[in-house]
Amino acid sequence: MSQENPTPEEKQLKSKETRNRLLLGALILLLVGVVYFQFFSGSDAPKPPDSATAKATPSPTPQRLTSGTPAPIISEPLDLALMQPGSQSGGGTGRNIFIYPTPTPPPPPTPAPTLPTPTPWPVPASSLNPGNVFARTADFTLTVFGQKMPQDAQGFVNGRAYQTTFVNDTQVRINVPAEAIRMPGSLSVAVRSQSDPRLESNPIPLNVAPPPDPPYKYIGLLTLKNVPTAVLVSQSSDDESYNVRKGLVIGGKWKIISITPQKVEIEDTSIKVSHVINFTLDTK
C-alpha cells in the first residue's frame, strides 16, 4: 500500500510534536538528575554515631577550628540507666542526680535514770497512837506500831531518848513528857535497839497542833459583894454575852480560873490547857 505525501501543514504539525517530545524528555532527565543529586550526592558524608556507638566511644577530640568558624556543639546521648539508683556503667557505680542524702536518724531517747531501790529499815515502823497531839498539854504515852521491834527498844522523839516499854515485836510505848510538846510543830519519832544501833526503825512524824483559843472577849468587870464578875462576849456575835465568876464553866468546857481588871484566865478542860483573855473595849 502506498503512502500519501503529507501536506505542508501536516509536516509542520509533526515537526512541532517532535520538538515537544524532545523538550519533555529533556525536562524529565533534568528532574531525574536533580533528584539524584539531592538524595545520593551526600551518601559519602560521615554519619552521626548512634547511641550504642556513643556509649562505647570516648568523647571525640575537638576539631581544629579555622578563623571565623563557630565551634560545633557536641552532645552525648542521655544515658537513662545512670539515673537509676544503684545502676552501673562501664564497671563503675552510676550517679543518681535525683537522690538526696538520707537524713541522719535522731538519736534514741535517753532512758530515764533508774532510781536505786531503798534499803529496807531493819525495824519497819508503821504508825503512831496518837498521831496528833496539842501543844502545852500534859505528859502522855505514845504507842509505836511496826514489825521486828527489839526487846531492848529505846524510843526517841526528835532525837531525844525517853523511857520506853516493850510490849511485843509489833509495838512499844514511849512516855513523852509535856516539855517535849511545848511548841507546835512536827516531831520525828523512831525506835532503836540499845544493844545494836543498827536495828533502827524508820522515822514517823508526830504532829503537834496549837491548842484552840477560847472564843470569847473580855469587855467589862462587875463587883457585886466584893465578888468580881467578868463580862465576856462571844467573838462570833456581840449579842451573846456572859457574866461569869471564878469556877464557872461556859460553853461546856471553858472554866474560869481567875479574874482581874486586866485579864481573865480560862482553861480548856478537855485538854487541860489554860489561856489568858486580856481586857479590851473593842467589841467588834
Side-chain angles (χ1 to χ4, degrees), residues 18-271:
T18 302
R19 288 197 303 272
N20 291 339
R21 290 177 180 176
L22 291 175
L23 182 59
L24 179 61
L27 291 174
I28 291 174
L29 290 176
L30 179 61
L31 179 62
V32 170
V34 170
V35 171
Y36 180 84
F37 180 80
Q38 291 291 333
F39 287 93
F40 298 99
S41 64
S43 60
D44 295 337
K47 298 180 180 180
D50 56 10
S51 60
T53 307
K55 291 181 181 180
T57 306
S59 302
T61 303
Q63 299 178 356
R64 185 183 301 274
L65 302 178
T66 60
S67 176
T69 303
I73 300 176
I74 301 175
S75 63
E76 296 183 358
L78 180 63
D79 190 354
L80 297 179
L82 296 178
M83 301 172 63
Q84 301 298 327
S87 63
Q88 295 182 354
S89 177
T93 303
R95 179 184 179 188
N96 187 352
I97 62 174
F98 298 105
I99 292 182
Y100 295 96
T102 303
T104 304
T110 304
T114 303
L115 299 178
T117 303
T119 304
W121 290 89
V123 181
S126 57
S127 61
L128 303 175
N129 185 28
N132 299 278
V133 295
F134 287 108
R136 296 167 46 204
T137 52
D139 302 351
F140 71 101
T141 300
L142 179 65
T143 303
V144 182
F145 297 94
Q147 298 177 6
K148 302 178 182 179
M149 296 289 183
Q151 293 188 1
D152 61 345
Q154 177 72 63
F156 294 84
V157 177
N158 260 20
R160 293 190 62 178
Y162 295 104
Q163 182 181 356
T164 306
T165 302
F166 174 81
V167 179
N168 52 46
D169 61 352
T170 62
Q171 61 177 301
V172 296
R173 295 173 181 170
I174 306 173
N175 296 329
V176 182
E179 64 177 13
I181 55 172
R182 285 181 299 177
M183 300 297 293
S186 180
L187 305 180
S188 176
V189 180
V191 175
R192 185 171 63 233
S193 170
Q194 299 183 55
S195 60
D196 188 356
R198 295 174 299 177
L199 300 179
E200 185 178 11
S201 75
N202 52 293
I204 299 181
L206 173 64
N207 181 45
V208 182
D213 293 326
Y216 306 106
K217 292 183 290 185
Y218 178 29
I219 63 170
L221 177 64
L222 302 176
T223 303
L224 301 175
K225 297 181 181 181
N226 296 326
V227 178
T229 300
V231 180
L232 304 181
V233 296
S234 173
Q235 291 187 355
S236 60
S237 175
D238 291 340
D239 295 334
E240 185 179 348
S241 62
Y242 305 87
N243 295 332
V244 297
R245 291 178 294 181
K246 180 179 178 180
L248 186 67
V249 176
I250 60 176
K253 69 173 185 176
W254 301 103
K255 182 179 180 181
I256 306 301
I257 303 300
S258 65
I259 300 174
T260 68
Q262 294 79 25
K263 62 182 180 180
V264 171
E265 185 178 359
I266 189 169
E267 182 187 61
D268 185 346
T269 58
S270 62
I271 58 175

